[in-house]
Amino acid sequence: CLISATVADFGFDILSTLIWYMFAVILGLFLQSIIVYPIIIKYFGKLEIIPFFKAMREAIAIAFSTSSSAATLPVTMKCVEQNLGIPKKISGFVLPLGATINMDGTALYQGVATLLIAQVYGIELGFTGQLTIVLTAVLASIGTAPVPGVGIIMLVMILQSVHVPAEGIALIIGVDRLLDMLRTIPNILGDASISVAIATGEDAKKIS
């Protein structure tokens, strides 16, 4: 129902475009979670990757079901402190701060969504336009509240920065809820990864 007007304007072919859009976002979130974070965990946090994900599985489940980094924060802190042994003085600072400004999954989604809407409207974005999207998406993700659905609102600012019609949001709003659930997972995993890296760095300082 949410995208019925869009389908009426662009035809049923737009549905296949949406499927590819969802695939691109999900693939990006997956690669972020299994490549970028494991590098931080393994080489900066000196922790094995599989035990980390097992320790965080409860927080991952809550993040997926609530689509909110803020709602997941108490569970994330519990997993990090009890399962990973991170001191409370580190988790108590890093995790609340990360829940506010560290939105990797949201930034990735907003960048892909902007490119999709620009392509649908036939707007060609050069290197400068794409760089603007990257910078604006990162800044917008920092200012995005850790509650469900806010990423779609911040997307308006990114679209306007590259002169793409904000009405294009109607194209993706029908599938946004599922993607919102998925992009919350890398958001909380990123916070936990940094907590592990900082705790390891602090331990190394004490030894030296």
Side-chain angles (χ1 to χ4, degrees), residues 58 73-84 95:
E58 186 179 354
L73 181 57
V75 183
T76 306
M77 294 182 72
K78 174 188 171 184
C79 292
V80 166
E81 292 169 11
Q82 296 182 7
N83 299 343
L84 295 175
L95 295 179

Side-chain angles (χ1 to χ4, degrees), residues 11-200:
F12 282 100
D13 290 343
I14 200 66
L15 296 178
S16 63
T17 303
L18 277 178
I19 292 173
W20 281 110
Y21 157 70
M22 293 177 65
F23 174 77
V25 173
I26 293 170
L27 179 62
L29 297 176
F30 180 72
L31 293 177
Q32 177 81 4
S33 299
I34 68 164
I35 295 178
V36 178
Y37 298 147
I39 289 175
I40 297 173
I41 296 162
K42 181 75 174 178
Y43 295 101
F44 295 95
K46 309 300 181 184
L47 183 67
E48 292 300 319
I49 297 166
I50 300 301
F52 171 83
F53 281 101
K54 285 184 177 179
M56 294 299 299
R57 62 182 180 272
E58 186 179 354
I60 292 172
I62 299 298
F64 179 78
S65 59
T66 63
S67 302
S68 170
S69 300
T72 312
L73 181 57
V75 183
T76 306
M77 294 182 72
K78 174 188 171 184
C79 292
V80 166
E81 292 169 11
Q82 296 182 7
N83 299 343
L84 295 175
I86 304 302
K88 189 174 182 62
K89 65 178 182 178
I90 293 177
S91 65
F93 175 77
V94 175
L95 295 179
L97 182 64
T100 305
I101 66 173
N102 181 40
M103 302 284 184
D104 299 343
T106 302
L108 187 150
Y109 138 80
Q110 289 172 336
V112 176
T114 303
L115 289 174
L116 168 74
I117 295 171
Q119 289 176 355
V120 168
Y121 280 95
I123 300 173
E124 188 171 343
L125 298 171
F127 176 77
T128 303
Q130 294 181 36
L131 182 61
T132 301
I133 291 173
V134 171
L135 295 176
T136 312
V138 171
L139 293 174
S141 68
I142 292 174
T144 300
V147 295
V150 178
I152 200 80
I153 298 174
M154 300 300 289
L155 181 58
V156 175
M157 181 176 69
I158 301 172
L159 293 172
Q160 291 178 342
S161 70
V162 288
H163 309 292
V164 175
E167 309 88 75
I169 289 178
L171 174 67
I172 62 171
I173 199 169
V175 297
D176 183 69
R177 177 59 181 175
L178 174 61
L179 296 179
D180 196 6
M181 296 166 73
L182 291 171
R183 66 180 178 256
T184 306
I185 296 174
N187 287 347
I188 63 108
L189 287 179
D191 301 339
S193 302
I194 296 302
S195 295
V196 171
I198 291 177
T200 302

